[in-house]
Amino acid sequence: MALNLVMLGPPGAGKGTQAERFARVHGIPKVSTGDILREAVHSASELGRDVKEGMDRGELVGDDLIIEIVRERLMRPDAMAGFVLDGFPRTAPQAKALDELTASRGPVVCVEIQVPDEELVRRVRARRVCEDCGANADAFEHAIDSVSDLCQNTERCRTVGPTWVARSDDSEIVVRERLKIYWRNTRPMIEYYKARPTFRAIDGMRSPEQVREALVGAVAAALGQPAESLRDLARQSGGQA
Ligand code: AMP
């Protein structure tokens, strides 16, 4: 059975970190629309030039464009055994489009990570990302110049070490704007999922390890399976712990 997971929650809730780990362990792709767009901006492609200004202001990219990006990504062979979506959907039309895209792919589990706004602002202001691979670190928790163990994703990271930078949309003003947009557009969309048996909410105020455990439990419960069966599935898929 395909393992289809949608991570929901506000910016800074830890969706990216959890999605990354879950996808790696289960040998399925993490599809992050934010990462895809940042990569386009980084490489100065036509898409990147079109979206950069709006992203820097914390605004959402248009539904049609983002739906097309996700459609194309989910059609690739590696997503047939499942996927972890991070940052999509964010609006009601995107949620509807996702239903259509996944209609014949088995259940889609949606897990919302809940974190209060003030903690989100704190986290996002402290967030640093590796310029090369996108790994995340928290500048309040780590002596940021010295942490390299959080970032081992590319050959360059492993040999040269990470280059930690703040995301251009992580300033406090932009973060507050992104939260406003989240409460206006995305939170109401979550109501659309809430009534489904495959929806779960978890508390994001715990340590990343505890959130990770809660996520596995929530996905298993949503699928009506014991958490252990999900761990077995991970072992069979040959994903990396
Ligand atoms: P994220 O890394 O998910 O916080 O996304 C960073 C930025 O990319 C957002 O603030 C939006 O400008 C844009 N973006 C990412 N995903 C979407 C989406 N599903 N719909 C619209 N805009 C998006």
Side-chain angles (χ1 to χ4, degrees), residues 33-34 37-38 55 58-61 66 87-88 90 94 167 169 178:
T33 44
L37 295 173
R38 274 186 293 280
M55 280 179 79
E59 293 164 6
L60 294 184
V61 167
I66 206 87
F88 182 96
R90 267 175 151 101
Q94 292 179 21
R167 274 172 47 171
D169 59 349
R178 287 163 61 204

Side-chain angles (χ1 to χ4, degrees), residues 9-12 15-16 32-38 51-63 65-67 70 86-91 94 127 167 169-170 174 178 181 186:
K15 299 187 300 294
S32 158
T33 44
D35 284 353
I36 293 171
L37 295 173
R38 274 186 293 280
V51 298
K52 183 175 186 324
E53 263 186 39
M55 280 179 79
D56 281 347
R57 285 197 296 265
E59 293 164 6
L60 294 184
V61 167
D63 283 335
L65 181 60
I66 206 87
I67 289 167
V70 172
D86 161 30
F88 182 96
R90 267 175 151 101
T91 64
Q94 292 179 21
R127 174 159 61 191
R167 274 172 47 171
D169 59 349
D170 273 352
V174 178
R178 287 163 61 204
I181 292 174
T186 309

Side-chain angles (χ1 to χ4, degrees), residues 206-221:
R206 292 173 288 173
S207 71
E209 291 70 32
Q210 288 169 321
V211 176
R212 184 197 305 163
E213 277 303 301
L215 176 63
V216 171
V219 174

